[in-house]
Amino acid sequence: MVFQDRTGQIAGNLWDADDYMVETFTKGKVVYMRAVKELYQGTPQVNKIYLRLPENTEPNDPKDFKPKSVVNEKELRDYIQKVIFKIENATWNRIVRYIFKKYDKAFFEYPAAKTNHHAFEGGLSYHTATMAQLAEKICEVYPMLDESLMLAGILLHDMAKVIEFSGPENTTYTLKGNLIGHIVLIDEEVSEAVRELDLDNDKEDVTILRHVLLAHHGLREYGSPVRPQIMEAEVIHQIDMMDASIMMMGTALNQVGTGEMTPRIFALDNRNFYKPNFDQK
Amino acid sequence: MVFQDRTGQIAGNLWDADDYMVETFTKGKVVYMRAVKELYQGTPQVNKIYLRLPENTEPNDPKDFKPKSVVNEKELRDYIQKVIFKIENATWNRIVRYIFKKYDKAFFEYPAAKTNHHAFEGGLSYHTATMAQLAEKICEVYPMLDESLMLAGILLHDMAKVIEFSGPENTTYTLKGNLIGHIVLIDEEVSEAVRELDLDNDKEDVTILRHVLLAHHGLREYGSPVRPQIMEAEVIHQIDMMDASIMMMGTALNQVGTGEMTPRIFALDNRNFYKPNFDQK
Amino acid sequence: MVFQDRTGQIAGNLWDADDYMVETFTKGKVVYMRAVKELYQGTPQVNKIYLRLPENTEPNDPKDFKPKSVVNEKELRDYIQKVIFKIENATWNRIVRYIFKKYDKAFFEYPAAKTNHHAFEGGLSYHTATMAQLAEKICEVYPMLDESLMLAGILLHDMAKVIEFSGPENTTYTLKGNLIGHIVLIDEEVSEAVRELDLDNDKEDVTILRHVLLAHHGLREYGSPVRPQIMEAEVIHQIDMMDASIMMMGTALNQVGTGEMTPRIFALDNRNFYKPNFDQK
Amino acid sequence: MVFQDRTGQIAGNLWDADDYMVETFTKGKVVYMRAVKELYQGTPQVNKIYLRLPENTEPNDPKDFKPKSVVNEKELRDYIQKVIFKIENATWNRIVRYIFKKYDKAFFEYPAAKTNHHAFEGGLSYHTATMAQLAEKICEVYPMLDESLMLAGILLHDMAKVIEFSGPENTTYTLKGNLIGHIVLIDEEVSEAVRELDLDNDKEDVTILRHVLLAHHGLREYGSPVRPQIMEAEVIHQIDMMDASIMMMGTALNQVGTGEMTPRIFALDNRNFYKPNFDQK
Amino acid sequence: MVFQDRTGQIAGNLWDADDYMVETFTKGKVVYMRAVKELYQGTPQVNKIYLRLPENTEPNDPKDFKPKSVVNEKELRDYIQKVIFKIENATWNRIVRYIFKKYDKAFFEYPAAKTNHHAFEGGLSYHTATMAQLAEKICEVYPMLDESLMLAGILLHDMAKVIEFSGPENTTYTLKGNLIGHIVLIDEEVSEAVRELDLDNDKEDVTILRHVLLAHHGLREYGSPVRPQIMEAEVIHQIDMMDASIMMMGTALNQVGTGEMTPRIFALDNRNFYKPNFDQK
Amino acid sequence: MVFQDRTGQIAGNLWDADDYMVETFTKGKVVYMRAVKELYQGTPQVNKIYLRLPENTEPNDPKDFKPKSVVNEKELRDYIQKVIFKIENATWNRIVRYIFKKYDKAFFEYPAAKTNHHAFEGGLSYHTATMAQLAEKICEVYPMLDESLMLAGILLHDMAKVIEFSGPENTTYTLKGNLIGHIVLIDEEVSEAVRELDLDNDKEDVTILRHVLLAHHGLREYGSPVRPQIMEAEVIHQIDMMDASIMMMGTALNQVGTGEMTPRIFALDNRNFYKPNFDQK
């Protein structure tokens, strides 16, 4: 069982649940818990759990207890619009606008992952926007990178998670998510856009945008059917890794005190991280 | 340099080629060669090579010197038609017909690979037909396998090699072949067929056919963005491996005498194979 | 704890067993259970278990609750005899007859594995017979395969499991099974047969049969001391994999409804499989 | 044999060199070459090579034919000073100043690698400065990163290459380079600085700086005795990879025309990269 | 929870601990236990645990219940002195003496590991002494090995575990242990010794001793920043593996009867070992 | 082409061999060579080769130019007899005597490997004897090791190389060597001995000796069908690795001067080793 509030998540087992408890405390409900927090193989968990439902005046809306995106949707929308505006290649710009129009609502609601990094409501747009920010900065250092391609690739790279996932809450994989996956699903969306916008499917820039999207997991083992063979594809992959890992490390470090180690993070090769006492400088 | 005739290929180096030779003996030409065949690290190669062009009455059409498909095109076409006829699911049947109509000519001309197995003209249709034969036999042993799905998946699995490769001769990868690959390219073709045939893209059988095609390389490391998660997808992958490996072993064994080892076959983990003297039984 | 009936197995924990329970409900006994079936990390298990012994008139013979081979022993025996008859090479035919005579009874009783595929009584002969069927079909497609070698290799490949395992029920590994393994144990049986039948141990066909048996796990990592270097050895390995994986997928799919995913199957790289709603075609 | 001019390097073999040639055309000399450029397994090389020494008035100073750092030393020095100034933690600032004073001259002369990325004179300082630029930009996006630690770690991370390498030209590994390596050698330099500056070796910030330096190769397989377990250590590793890979891709792309593939780059998993025709937008 | 007495350790879970129990039975305390020993996935554990504190006259000093080094400290000290005396190279001899003087007390108290092999008080000196014995024997067989280097390397190889670990009891990793590790920490100690003893840091024998220490884990994956490139470094690594594995196997075999298998040993690739009935010879 | 004299081997290519040369300078002949020794990718080779046959009075017996075992056969025979005498378990002693009697001559003539370590005439007995010496020493350190089992296992472990290899000169693999391998071939010899000596094949000590032999390559990837699960099996594997690696390092170091690196040794993960100037102590 995993308990979650705005500050994070913690696992725990309820060893002697009776029928009443099983029926009462279900997934997605707000419960009040009293428990003992302990370490199990280096990972915190709660034991000796007492649960009850919220009483009359206590808050009982699950939304109040979920982590929220750090930036509000309005600001994200404005920034994404600004980024689209910077895509100078007309083919890419039109494809991006077509797909953003189609999935506008979901893009700002969905998480970026089922677990791990950015697994919160609005996480998809937040992750995308942070990557775009990184790309803008990095293009200042390396003028040989094509900024339009970087930004078009980043804006679309995870968009098909709105098809891969069931929705922003109690997120599971859809059948298409399981059997096709968001990498091929975004390729399908680009092909549809090319057709609907009457673009030339054999033009090099269409092939390159598709490549950048297909290759963004970097390694075939991670689900990309092709490895990056365009410089911008490689750099987008690295930016994706950088933002995902910083988000995971930052989230874990936020939950421990200075001078402590975080729990092990599975998606970072099971490493744990130390939170230094920097202010003693 | 690789020399090829109808019986196979052999590598050799021409260490002291002068300008005349470089201009005269180019890729795709028929040449007459006298040379010494030797073993280099267990692989045969030719050394001390003397080359000349064909003279007046000698055959000089490259087509006469290329390995040919073992079965003629007419028989292959008839068999493929019979197989399509056995696909009972209407959705899959219509998608297969649509794509076969679109790429009819190329399907019977292209090789199945640039090197390795079935790397000869007509190899693609020959490999596909042999896999279909295997599938028919295997479905007799395991009635729980859906034969329609097996056959539809096999007929389409490598079809996009006609987009991935430049053509049946002096085959190279196209830009789309390099940057997108035949696995995603066939997915795009299926999506197009679904749209043009006005089928329902959200029906389960469309998703399942796409999965079977995307997963046919079996492992992500081999370029499949998803691993087989439908029983038929797993078995199609195994049939693909079986036919490819038997073709590679058989080709290599055909080129050595009984009681000899073949050269090492890179695509079979660099193993070499022994050709026994079975008739002594 | 693992509970088993004719339809499959399920795991569960009895957290608060008292002395009476530990003594009463032991391995191999028939018990009646009432429990709640739940998912634990995607795998079904039972919780809140109530157990009791069978009462007067209730069935209490463990044999009535074990999965049985799908084909009856009589049919299997007849088919195996037919297969032996098809082995034309006299050396192989005599070795196969010698070993089948020696282990006749056990061969039709033992499972093919301790867990995973064909882990039921009679599983060894069932698995062997299905592989022989596949080999017969595949040899029709590829006439260059030596059918006698294919069938001799398949009939013997897992035979030494009758030495490796303790017996058909509550199967464990014997000391020889642990320290030597069925791959080398069948090699020892072949050597004994060669000696007892006064065959020439240095004849090529003896060496080749031994190679086919030693190599049937395909990879050294899986316990074969040599990798397949005879074409038939490679194909037997592939047939073994095909039958084992289809059996595992089929068993798992039989236990879920259409539109559901199976639990993850460890021996298939921890994949789970989807059971489609094919009849909606 | 590898030939090099300011635009890059190319390999070639001189198959029939006589004594005169072997003595005349030695490593580090300027030679004039006429040759045929060909592809060997996808990598360009020169064949049919004619070599001669420069004549009277022709340039003959090797320095004129080596790639030069893209930025001049004066600018690099100024920027590095500015970066040191931004390190607010006094311990780190003093250690960095101590080591930069000790190796000032070599730091601006040495390459960053023997082959692969930044393998040119001044490459070490150029690579270091570019990474510092990236760090400054990335810290703007992620305020939780400690910029002082990022900059101190980057300035020192490759500094011990001035001990690992023999010098800026015809670079080889020294005995200490081979047997100890620059990762442990910089740790020794920090320990010396701590002692000479009378800092407290047990203070957390000394340990953390040492960790960041020891972990900068990211994986143990790449020679880091510890994996990054401080957030800034992980990000410095990623910045190092990003700059090294962009330098390698950029160098390779500079040597081919638009619409062409680069040769395969060994250090990037043997991938080759496509140079698109972006201006056709 | 792990229970330990002089004969070994065993794991168990206390599912229904109340507050009293949690406060009473804490880490490092002597408790009296009554429980049922069972196998869980092949590993023994205790269940149905009853715990109580020692009563009046019962032994209650934790030291009485810990495994002790098999040889007494006096003998170990004498042997270590003898070994140091055999190091003929003056540089190495002085460095070894310097470091042994500095850490004399801890060296004879610390364990050699937190878990796994030699994880008992005094284990560090015991492991070191056994390795030195092996080295003396092996140098008799291979006279080309430099015995001084072998012995100096062995004496120092794990010494920095006295910095890496918190202490001989309830051992945990220190911050330096986590972030720097004993391999680099001993390198720092050697550098300090070189400086304090006014030795020449650029002499080859200093570099070689440092290499031997840095390389003693054999593989980079195991935390050595360099792989052994001196013959003695490779052999020291092998001796280290040999003693660690024999200690782990021996400890596990001591806890089972003849004719039984040990539990699986994680650090030996999860193998379990059979204890034969040798006396039946 | 590989040239060999008593001091070692060196590779070289004869680029422009004419017919006369190909016929004259064949494998196994004594030739006189004048050539230039150069480094190719860090490995020495000879170029610009001039070859001639020995003249009248020059030595022309190939045996005079092959590396010889360092110890003479008489001493080896005496030592091996002494070792057999130390095997106290009667079963093992009789099996060892049986097999040594059968292969007496070949055991003292064959090499221990086709290439790599001990690839010289008499290398098999030399390698076996050195391992036995190591075992005797190591058993002094660890009295819990059963010395009889150690010695019996070592004496037989590589014995079947006399079946695996074609003979002591121009060594190649036999068909049985290729398709069965010396690990299973020695198992067959033990089974034969058990039968001929009328021993009980089901006694534990027979099974254990077979296990030790089957497991001596340590890892399945290296051709052992079972991993060591008896303590002595693990230690024999380690002794085998130790002697093989010391022989390879020692041979390579003998061919370079002090202060130099050896060529890279493929079988030691392609490492090269440094030969120190130890006498400067």
Side-chain angles (χ1 to χ4, degrees), chain B residues 257-259 275-281, chain C residues 89 92 146 203-205 208:
Chain B
T258 57
K275 183 170 191 164
N277 304 288
F278 279 135
D279 26 30
Q280 58 175 217
K281 50 191 160 185
Chain C
N89 174 299
W92 302 333
D146 186 287
K203 264 190 73 188
E204 190 195 54
D205 46 12
I208 281 170

Side-chain angles (χ1 to χ4, degrees), chain F residues 25 30-34 49-55 57-60 65:
Chain F
F25 305 114
V30 173
V31 299
Y32 284 69
M33 177 174 78
R34 200 183 61 213
I49 298 167
Y50 166 78
L51 296 177
R52 67 169 174 79
L53 291 182
E55 289 173 5
T57 59
E58 291 174 332
N60 59 14
F65 294 88

Side-chain angles (χ1 to χ4, degrees), chain D residues 60-229:
Chain D
N60 60 15
D61 184 348
K63 288 200 179 159
D64 297 336
F65 294 88
K66 279 192 201 132
K68 288 206 182 120
S69 176
V70 210
V71 174
N72 66 47
E73 191 185 316
K74 174 69 174 64
E75 285 178 53
L76 279 173
R77 281 188 176 279
D78 289 351
Y79 177 65
I80 296 286
Q81 279 313 312
K82 201 193 90 187
V83 171
I84 295 178
F85 193 77
K86 287 184 77 172
I87 303 172
E88 297 179 4
N89 174 299
T91 305
W92 301 334
N93 188 299
R94 293 183 64 199
I95 293 172
V96 170
R97 284 187 196 279
Y98 179 91
I99 294 173
F100 265 76
K101 195 167 166 198
K102 184 171 173 188
Y103 293 109
D104 174 79
K105 187 161 176 297
F107 177 72
F108 289 97
E109 283 177 4
Y110 272 62
K114 201 168 146 303
T115 54
N116 297 339
H117 74 103
H118 300 88
F120 51 80
E121 211 175 314
L124 175 56
S125 52
Y126 182 57
H127 172 51
T128 303
T130 313
M131 283 178 62
Q133 280 182 281
L134 277 172
E136 288 186 291
K137 303 282 190 189
I138 288 166
C139 285
E140 292 173 23
V141 179
Y142 302 107
M144 71 283 258
L145 291 172
D146 186 287
E147 193 175 20
S148 289
L149 180 55
M150 296 289 294
L151 296 176
I154 285 170
L155 287 180
L156 295 181
H157 84 293
D158 269 354
M159 176 60 97
K161 290 202 168 171
V162 306
I163 309 171
E164 184 174 68
F165 292 150
S166 61
E169 296 189 35
N170 297 331
T171 304
T172 58
Y173 284 95
T174 61
L175 187 64
K176 279 189 186 171
N178 257 322
L179 298 188
I180 298 178
H182 75 276
I183 287 187
V184 173
L185 288 169
I186 188 61
D187 183 73
E188 185 189 356
E189 296 295 324
V190 171
S191 292
E192 181 189 305
V194 166
R195 188 173 55 251
E196 297 295 325
L197 296 169
D198 226 359
L199 300 169
D200 179 356
N201 191 31
D202 289 328
K203 265 189 70 188
E204 189 195 58
D205 46 11
V206 172
T207 297
I208 281 170
L209 179 61
R210 290 174 68 189
H211 173 74
V212 162
L213 298 174
L214 290 168
H216 86 266
H217 278 197
L219 291 173
R220 287 179 159 172
E221 291 84 322
Y222 299 162
S224 272
V226 284
R227 299 206 58 194
Q229 290 191 287

